[in-house]
Amino acid sequence: MSVVDVDSARLRSEIAAFYAGFGVSSELSAAFESSALLVPLVGPEDRVFTLESGGLAWLCAFTGVEEYARFMSARGVVADQSYRFHTFLGQRLREFAAAQPEPTGVAIDMLGAAPMAFPPKLDDEPSTGGG
């Protein structure tokens, strides 16, 4: 059995600092962008797995196999089914999310002990419809 090793220790550390009340948003963002994360794939064409919540799409990503397994267990894992994933850098996930036609964010370690969300950038100004 092979073990997948991803480099997300810095991100886990910055998330812990955030939860402890002394995180720095720029450091958290930099740690996210430089971390390797597991991203579930679905369907025969291996699309990245997303969930919808609050009118937004969320790419699900995980800092390690244990967090991914916890999420999949909560969703009702089927023992004889394969669960594929790919490893992406956070920066690539952020770029991919920004390129989607609908507002899309990245959710890290959903259902884990320390989940973190990186929401999409939304326009602050409402459309006035003409000119």
Side-chain angles (χ1 to χ4, degrees), residues 27-125:
E27 290 298 317
L28 178 62
S29 184
F32 164 64
E33 289 191 351
S34 67
S35 290
L37 300 161
L38 300 179
V39 178
L41 303 174
V42 296
E45 60 281 337
D46 284 341
R47 290 174 291 123
V48 296
F49 179 76
T50 59
L51 290 175
E52 188 173 318
S53 179
L56 298 174
W58 293 93
L59 294 171
C60 300
F62 302 91
T63 57
V65 173
E66 296 81 15
E67 294 292 341
Y68 178 43
R70 180 179 292 129
F71 176 78
M72 293 309 292
S73 292
R75 294 194 48 129
V77 171
V78 177
D80 62 347
Q81 186 173 336
S82 252
Y83 294 93
R84 296 181 40 80
F85 62 87
H86 194 65
T87 304
F88 291 96
L89 283 177
Q91 179 179 358
R92 178 68 182 115
L93 287 176
R94 184 172 272 167
E95 291 167 357
F96 180 81
Q100 299 309 298
E102 300 296 324
T104 303
V106 180
I108 307 295
D109 292 344
M110 293 175 67
L111 305 179
M116 181 60 59
F118 293 89
K121 292 187 180 181
L122 301 174
D123 289 337
D124 289 336
E125 296 183 26

